[in-house]
Amino acid sequence: MEYRLKTPISESDVRKLKIGDIVYVTGVMVTARDQAHRRALALHKEGKPLPIDLRGGVIFHCGPVVRKKDGEWEMVAAGPTTSTRMELFQAEFIEAFRPSIIVGKGGMGPRTAEAMKKFGAVYCDFTGGAAVLAAKAVERVRGVEWFELGIPEAMWILEVKDFGPLLVTIDSHGNSHHANVAKAVEENKPRVYSMLGVSK
Amino acid sequence: MVDVKRIEDLTVDLLRLAVIELPKDVKEALERAKERETSDIAKANLSAILENIRLAESMRRPVCQDTGLIVFFLDVGYGFGSVSGIPEAIAKGTKRATEEIPLRPNAVHPISRKNSGDNTGSYVPILNWSYVEGDYLEITAFPKGGGSENMTFFSMVKPGEGIAGIKRFVIDSVISSGGQPCPPTIIGVGIGGTADLALKLAKKSLLRPIGQRHSDPEIAKLEEDLLKAINMTGIGPMGLGGNVTSLDVHAEYAHCHTASLPVAVNTQCWAARRATARVYRDGRVEILSHGR
Ligand code: SF4
């Protein structure tokens, strides 16, 4: 199925998404890598608010290439980064801020999948390296927070239009497309070996 | 002697060409891959890649945000004359390209992780020199992404295992890489030599256009068998499942010690960037990789 969703995304809409679905998002999207996750959780512990409400929002694991043009920030290239680095923080992050969609590449671990099931969120893969396609869906850079973390690690607040295709690969029902592919590859192995004339 | 300023300018031009426009053989292979895929996810990934490639060209932006560690291959003709000043000119060109295109500054000190800010540093840009017949200098810019370079493997296979040992090592390397090197990939295989030469041959084989087989029929057959096997794994584009995990396999070999069988695998991502030009003694420049 293909969906076009607008932020904030309701829990019932997120729960409809299944692995294999394709999503395009319009609205507000926020970039966050390791350091932004760490900082957000630290603020939460101190009982302080984030610069932006993330409920029902979209988090993008991305360190963009940006430039300033006529006093405004512009996204030049904004492909996804490997998501497993955020596994350390993601479950707590979802519990604390309740975003609906996490976008990155390569999938995430069982703790994140568990939190997604519990709180109603999904993980989507965006095509690795498709940096211009991603940047083109950014209509405006609304702002940047925590700039002192450096351009890639700062939290970029973006207004996006039809950002995608996002491929749902972990849904809120405990299914992981990555796990399914890994299993299929394992099952194909004997055929692959025998085609090459290699013993197991 | 060729004016070094010319080489500096050519360095900028080649890097720009490489990071913005993929060579025709790569684009065509990705188009064919899309036709061979049946699942929606695999097709969506390949459509996104192809659309991204078109956008990069029309907007003159780097095709991927990781513009790589900067690598060059230099084939110097015996009749070309002195290459004095050329390494410096290439380093200067690399710095300029980083500013002008722009490229993402990726070169960091290996221990302190401090970024030099301009894509140069100790041994970087990396220059691979060889000597060839002729009166020209052939320069290939080969910016290499981190995600795919991390999927590099080396083994001293037991010579007694023979070709089966080589095949098993390559296929296991590809399976363990999964989606990490941004498939569909190109797999470079270096066989024989010493350990360092095997790794170098693996990388050098990635310069060969997609679809071009090795001139030795036995190696050509190995390439074909490996490609078929890799595409039976089901890893697929981005490791999300599908029929096309690799666009091609290229192997190169060297004779090796009777007691050893070094095998190296170097992975290239779909953003298989390379741009080649020839510089003649009289200063004439001819772009070879990107036909106009
Ligand atoms: S592996 Fe290649 S395509 Fe993927 S992010 Fe790195 S450079 Fe880009």
Side-chain angles (χ1 to χ4, degrees), chain B residues 83-129:
Chain B
V83 293
S84 154
I86 286 183
E88 293 77 9
I90 291 176
K92 242 175 146 177
T94 299
K95 288 182 195 184
R96 264 181 54 202
T98 303
E99 284 251 339
E100 290 172 21
I101 298 174
L103 305 176
R104 192 170 81 178
N106 283 331
V108 304
H109 185 279
I111 312 292
S112 73
R113 309 307 291 180
K114 194 172 168 319
N115 198 316
S116 70
D118 61 11
N119 278 316
T120 71
S122 179
Y123 287 96
V124 173
I126 297 171
L127 307 183
N128 297 286
W129 298 91

Side-chain angles (χ1 to χ4, degrees), chain A:
Chain A
M1 285 282 283
E2 196 176 296
Y3 293 90
R4 301 208 171 235
L5 299 175
K6 275 204 167 73
T7 64
I9 301 162
S10 70
E11 185 171 339
S12 68
D13 275 347
V14 176
R15 296 270 181 201
K16 277 185 209 145
L17 301 175
K18 304 263 155 55
I19 55 170
D21 286 342
I22 293 174
V23 179
Y24 291 85
V25 170
T26 296
V28 179
M29 180 169 79
V30 165
T31 70
R33 290 167 61 115
D34 317 41
Q35 299 205 39
H37 277 79
R38 193 190 299 268
R39 163 105 42 129
L41 287 173
L43 284 174
H44 185 70
K45 253 194 197 128
E46 293 167 21
K48 291 185 187 147
L50 291 191
I52 175 171
D53 184 7
L54 298 179
R55 187 173 280 265
V58 180
I59 306 296
F60 187 21
H61 296 156
C62 165
V65 179
V66 294
R67 68 175 163 221
K68 226 172 192 167
K69 212 171 147 188
D70 311 322
E72 291 255 351
W73 288 105
E74 182 192 27
M75 288 279 137
V76 176
T81 191
T82 303
S83 295
T84 45
R85 289 201 318 279
M86 272 58 80
E87 180 67 11
L88 222 52
F89 315 105
Q90 206 70 75
E92 268 179 87
F93 189 96
I94 291 170
E95 179 168 7
F97 307 113
R98 309 295 291 275
S100 290
I101 301 183
I102 310 285
V103 181
K105 73 165 176 162
M108 300 195 73
R111 277 191 64 220
T112 299
E114 203 39 53
M116 291 183 157
K117 199 169 157 184
K118 198 160 160 198
F119 300 106
V122 298
Y123 175 86
C124 294
D125 268 87
F126 184 85
T127 306
V132 190
L133 187 65
K136 205 188 146 234
V138 177
E139 291 207 301
R140 198 169 79 92
V141 177
R142 185 185 284 185
V144 53
E145 300 287 343
W146 311 336
F147 193 68
E148 65 280 10
L149 296 177
I151 283 176
E153 298 285 341
M155 183 185 251
W156 293 89
I157 302 169
L158 311 173
E159 289 170 17
V160 296
K161 182 151 191 272
D162 292 327
F163 182 76
L166 307 176
L167 314 168
V168 179
T169 48
I170 303 174
D171 64 23
S172 62
H173 308 285
N175 304 306
S176 159
H177 179 73
H178 299 273
N180 293 350
V181 173
K183 204 170 138 235
V185 171
E186 211 39 55
E187 283 167 9
N188 287 336
K189 245 175 158 175
R191 273 198 317 134
V192 173
Y193 278 159
S194 92
M195 187 258 145
L196 286 174
V198 171
S199 58
K200 265 162 272 163

Side-chain angles (χ1 to χ4, degrees), chain B residues 100-175:
Chain B
E100 290 172 21
I101 298 174
L103 305 176
R104 192 170 81 178
N106 283 331
V108 304
H109 185 279
I111 312 292
S112 73
R113 309 307 291 180
K114 194 172 168 319
N115 198 316
S116 70
D118 61 11
N119 278 316
T120 71
S122 179
Y123 287 96
V124 173
I126 297 171
L127 307 183
N128 297 286
W129 298 91
S130 347
Y131 294 91
V132 294
E133 288 297 339
D135 63 348
Y136 56 81
L137 165 67
E138 197 170 298
I139 307 181
T140 298
F142 192 77
K144 188 65 170 64
S148 60
E149 184 67 10
N150 284 348
M151 298 301 115
T152 301
F153 305 88
F154 176 80
S155 174
M156 283 292 188
V157 172
K158 290 196 179 67
E161 289 183 44
I163 196 152
I166 298 171
K167 287 176 174 172
R168 177 209 294 276
F169 179 66
V170 175
I171 195 76
D172 285 350
S173 299
V174 173
I175 290 176

Side-chain angles (χ1 to χ4, degrees), chain B residues 17-89:
Chain B
L17 205 51
V19 299
I20 293 176
E21 278 180 57
L22 294 187
K24 198 159 161 246
D25 58 287
V26 178
K27 289 191 277 192
E28 286 174 354
L30 288 164
E31 297 273 4
R32 285 196 301 273
K34 193 184 147 195
E35 279 157 29
R36 278 167 55 202
E37 286 296 359
T38 46
S39 83
D40 286 347
I41 285 198
K43 276 194 283 199
N45 268 305
L46 287 163
S47 302
I49 288 171
L50 289 164
E51 175 65 5
N52 185 72
I53 291 169
R54 275 189 290 272
L55 285 172
E57 282 184 21
S58 64
M59 296 167 83
R60 305 313 292 168
R61 288 189 187 179
V63 74
C64 175
Q65 77 280 354
D66 179 359
T67 49
L69 190 68
I70 307 303
V71 179
F72 290 92
F73 287 86
L74 299 127
D75 288 351
V76 189
Y78 293 115
F80 177 70
S82 166
V83 293
S84 154
I86 286 183
E88 293 77 9

